[in-house]
Every structure is written in structure tokens, then in C-alpha cells.
Amino acid sequence: MGGQDPRRGGPPGTTDTAGTPPAAETDTAGTPKLVGVVWGLLILNTLGSAGAKTVVPLPRSLIQLVTMGALVAAFTLALALNLRLRIRPSAFLLLLTLLLVPSLISSLQLQSGFGALFRCARLALFVSTLWLLSRWWDGGPTFVRHHIRMYFAVLGSVAAGAMISPGAAMPETYGGRLVGALWPLTPPQIGQYAAVIIGLTVLLVLGRRTDRTSAAVIIVPSLVLLALTHTRTATLGLLIGLALAIGSLVLTSAAARRFFTWAVLIAAVAAVGFASALRAWFLRGQSQENLSSLTGRAKVWDALLAAPRSTAEQMFGVGLGDKSFGGLPIDNSWLAVYHEQGWTGVTLVATILVVLGGVALLRPPSLARACALFLISYCAIASYTEAGLGDASPYLLHLAVAASLLAAPATAPPLPPPAVPRRRVPRWAQERR
């Protein structure tokens, strides 16, 4: 009632000396709950504006307004939560910041139009928001939980669209694959989101950070949506990423050993008993020739590599664009980065993956290390047939979660030694001296 708050030693409703919101507004790990809102806004920004036709037609300009508004709101809210601009040292964020240099140099040439400068500003705001959030990167599962919740909400919208309009959710133009009917999402996007949250949830169960019932609520519907997308890259990324992550826990976790054993047995039975069905799902009705050319991607890649380039374009690229060449999607992170940010960008992106992977391998076995290995390996695998490592995208958010898991816990500053009270000397004793 007007006194000091005994929990923090200050007036009620104020922040502590580090600028942290009151305890009622923080989660169990001491991270403000609004950080989850910021993360959700970043995810909304990376959903994109291109995809299948939705049940209610949404103008692309409106979608872009929503996504860019989400990024501005995320930066503003993150700045409000971290007014003192306290950040954690991060090689990952430093390399992302350096990636802005070739992006800006090439975009200033305006070969990709004024949109390139707009995309540079977006990337700068995106990276700045991650810097502001790095204050709460402490090696804990906080951002993993935010990641799972937000992408599960996105998948919920996909499932709702499929129930409202099955025809719009599985159109013939996409070969009957699942798309977003409420928000324009492509099958690879949906497959990516489903695969990532399935892998992270499995690891949380093995690490006893969540119960099996809650995990089943997330894993089962996500597996159904992943199967309906017929996304081969996401499926392979999930399987290989989980194998590497669980393999890192086998020596220290009995639950991981049991899961790995059962997974191998089930995979063997499935490979024998359902070989024809799995092959049909994998081929998606495509011919062997179409599959060998990666659904036409190889033709775009060959044309991109054969195109003449000046020395400046080879070093810094042609500027940030829509990840396409000749009007066709590039669908390869390395070639997209080479096209837009040159060899400088390719070197920086490769360094990001090498640094994160190296740090993860040097850490002792733990749940945080396993989750980080899963995310890093998934992004590395998906980079072959998906673009996004050189620009604001879900893949950079996956790697940001990995970086938060690999961050060392913040150590509290040592308390000052207690003051020794001075002995009071009587006045008569002072006069005798």
C-alpha cells in the first residue's frame, strides 16, 4: 500500500535496476512474457505474401502491410523491453550484421529496383530486433517454447482452412498438396513449420521438459499436415535432424536410447511393409526424369550459374530480390545468396553455419545442444532446395533459436563485501591521544 515492493526493493509497479518488467509480467525463467509476443510478430513477418489462393481473397498489398507492420511492432516492443540496449555477445548476430554490408552495396546499384533497398531496411530491422532479444538468450528452452507455440498457431490456421474449404486447401494447381486457405502459405512452408515443431517437441519429451499428452497434441496433427503437404525436403530434414540430435543424447539419456531403438525398428518395418506406398508418396506422381531434375530446379540453377557477371556482381551480387532468376524461383539458399549477395554473402552464410555447428559440437551433451543440432542440421539440409538463409526468413529464426540455446547462461555479478562497521572511539579517549 504505497510502500516498497519487498520482492525488488522498489516502488510497486516499477522495474528493477536492469529494466526488467515486474515479476508478474515475466515467465518462470525471468524472461518477460512480451518477448513471446515479439517472437510471434517476427514469425508473422516471415510468413510471406505469395502462395495459393485463399478462401477470402487477400490483396498482396494488404498482406505486405500486415507483415511489415508486424516487424515494426516487433522492433518497437523489443526496444521498449530493452530500453537500456543491453545485449549479449553473439557471433551469429555479428555475422548477420556483417551480411548487411554486401546486401547494401549490391542493392545501392538498383539492379533489382528500389525494392532491394526496402528489403535491406527490412533485414536491418529484423537483425536489430534479434540483437534486442539477445539479452534473454541464456541457453534455456524459452525461445524453443515460443517457436513451437507460434508455429503451431500457424498450422492451426492451415487446419482450419482445410476444414472450411478442402478444395481451396488442396488445389489441383499444387497437385493436391496442402496449402494455406486462410493465409497464402505454400506446401514447402507448411511442411517446414510442421517438421521443425515436431522435432523440437520430440526432443522436449526426451528431455522431460513437457509431458507426453501435451506433446501428442502437437506432434500428431503436425504429422498429418506434414504428410498432406508431400514435402520431401521437410521430411528428410526432420528425420536426419532428429537422428543427429538424438544421437548426441544416446550416451547420456536412457530415454533417447529407447526412442532411437524403437525408431529404427519402426522405420525398418515401414520400409519393408509400406515400401510401395512410401515410394508413391515420395514421387508425388512425378516421373523419374522430373525427380532427377529436382522438379525443374536444376534448369534454373544451370541458367543462373551460366549467366555472365561482372567482378562486382560476383563479389556482392545484384541486390536483395524475391529469390528468383528469370522469373522462376531459385529454391536454393546458396545460389540465391550468390545471386543477390555474391561470394561475400556465401562466405558469411557458410561461416554462420560452421560457427553454430562447431559451438554445438564442442558443448557437452544436453537437451539444449540436441535442439540446436536439430535446427542447424535442418537448415543446412533444407538450404539445398529452399531459399532464405541470406534474408529475413524462418530459417534465420530457426538459427536464432539455436544461437539462444548455445548462449552461455548469464552470470550474476559478485556481491560487494559487507561493509565493516567502524568502531566508535569515545571522545575522552581521543583527547587523551
Side-chain angles (χ1 to χ4, degrees):
M1 298 293 292
Q4 288 193 343
D5 189 340
R7 293 172 300 180
R8 301 191 317 276
T14 61
T15 60
D16 61 12
T17 55
T20 304
E25 299 177 7
T26 60
D27 58 20
T28 55
T31 303
K33 291 184 177 180
L34 288 177
V35 168
V37 177
V38 176
W39 200 254
L41 291 171
L42 287 177
I43 288 177
L44 176 58
N45 172 255
T46 59
L47 291 183
S49 58
K53 295 181 179 179
T54 55
V55 176
V56 178
L58 299 175
R60 188 174 181 182
S61 57
L62 174 63
I63 297 175
Q64 291 176 334
L65 179 63
V66 171
T67 54
M68 280 308 302
L71 179 58
V72 174
F75 175 78
T76 304
L77 186 54
L79 184 61
L81 292 171
N82 193 2
L83 283 175
R84 299 197 178 192
L85 303 182
R86 298 191 177 185
I87 59 176
R88 293 289 301 273
S90 172
F92 166 71
L93 291 179
L94 177 61
L95 290 169
L96 272 188
T97 306
L98 292 177
L99 189 61
L100 286 168
V101 176
S103 304
L104 184 59
I105 291 175
S106 57
S107 297
L108 285 174
Q109 305 299 320
L110 298 180
Q111 292 190 40
S112 300
F114 286 98
L117 294 177
F118 177 81
R119 293 183 178 92
C120 278
R122 177 191 175 217
L123 180 59
L125 203 60
F126 184 87
V127 175
S128 299
T129 306
L130 292 180
W131 271 115
L132 292 172
L133 293 179
S134 67
R135 173 184 173 180
W136 294 284
W137 293 3
D138 56 2
T142 300
F143 284 88
V144 172
R145 297 185 186 279
H146 291 325
H147 216 53
I148 293 174
R149 290 174 189 144
M150 299 307 170
Y151 277 123
F152 189 67
V154 174
L155 294 181
S157 71
V158 175
M163 289 186 289
I164 293 172
S165 179
M170 304 182 74
E172 290 298 328
T173 53
Y174 280 89
R177 301 169 65 190
L178 182 66
V179 300
L182 299 181
W183 185 276
L185 297 174
T186 62
Q189 285 180 281
I190 301 171
Q192 175 197 165
Y193 306 153
V196 167
I197 67 173
I198 289 170
L200 291 177
T201 305
V202 168
L203 293 174
L204 288 183
V205 172
L206 295 180
R208 298 181 179 179
R209 295 300 182 92
T210 187
D211 60 274
R212 296 183 180 182
T213 303
S214 301
V217 171
I218 294 175
I219 293 174
V220 173
S222 299
L223 276 173
V224 173
L225 296 181
L226 175 59
L228 291 176
T229 62
H230 288 256
T231 307
R232 295 179 291 237
T233 300
T235 304
L236 290 176
L238 170 64
L239 296 177
I240 298 174
L242 269 182
L244 293 174
I246 296 174
S248 71
L249 294 173
V250 164
L251 296 179
T252 58
S253 171
R257 289 192 291 271
R258 288 193 299 269
F259 183 89
F260 190 81
T261 302
W262 279 106
V264 171
L265 290 175
I266 293 173
V269 172
V272 174
F274 304 95
S276 59
L278 291 174
R279 186 174 184 276
W281 182 90
F282 190 80
L283 288 176
R284 296 195 313 232
Q286 297 174 342
S287 64
Q288 193 67 35
E289 180 183 356
N290 198 13
L291 180 63
S292 61
S293 66
L294 296 173
T295 322
R297 290 185 178 96
K299 297 179 181 179
V300 180
W301 299 348
D302 292 340
L304 186 149
L305 292 173
R309 294 175 183 271
S310 64
T311 303
E313 290 173 347
Q314 290 181 358
M315 290 299 299
F316 303 110
V318 300
L320 294 183
D322 59 358
K323 311 299 176 287
S324 67
F325 180 79
L328 297 174
I330 297 174
D331 286 341
N332 180 290
S333 284
W334 303 103
L335 292 179
V337 171
Y338 169 71
H339 178 60
E340 296 183 355
Q341 292 141 311
W343 285 115
T344 306
V346 171
T347 302
L348 289 172
V349 171
T351 305
I352 288 174
L353 291 177
V354 170
V355 168
L356 287 176
V359 172
L361 292 175
L362 292 175
R363 293 292 171 85
S366 66
L367 174 63
R369 179 201 189 203
C371 290
L373 282 173
F374 168 74
L375 292 169
I376 296 167
S377 58
Y378 181 89
C379 291
I381 293 167
S383 67
Y384 185 65
T385 58
E386 297 291 335
L389 286 181
D391 205 347
S393 69
Y395 292 105
L396 290 190
L397 289 180
H398 302 335
L399 294 178
V401 174
S404 75
L405 290 165
L406 298 174
T411 56
L415 296 175
V420 180
R422 295 181 59 186
R423 188 175 61 177
R424 187 171 179 273
V425 181
R427 182 176 298 176
W428 61 267
Q430 297 178 3
E431 293 176 351
R432 291 186 61 180
R433 289 181 182 178

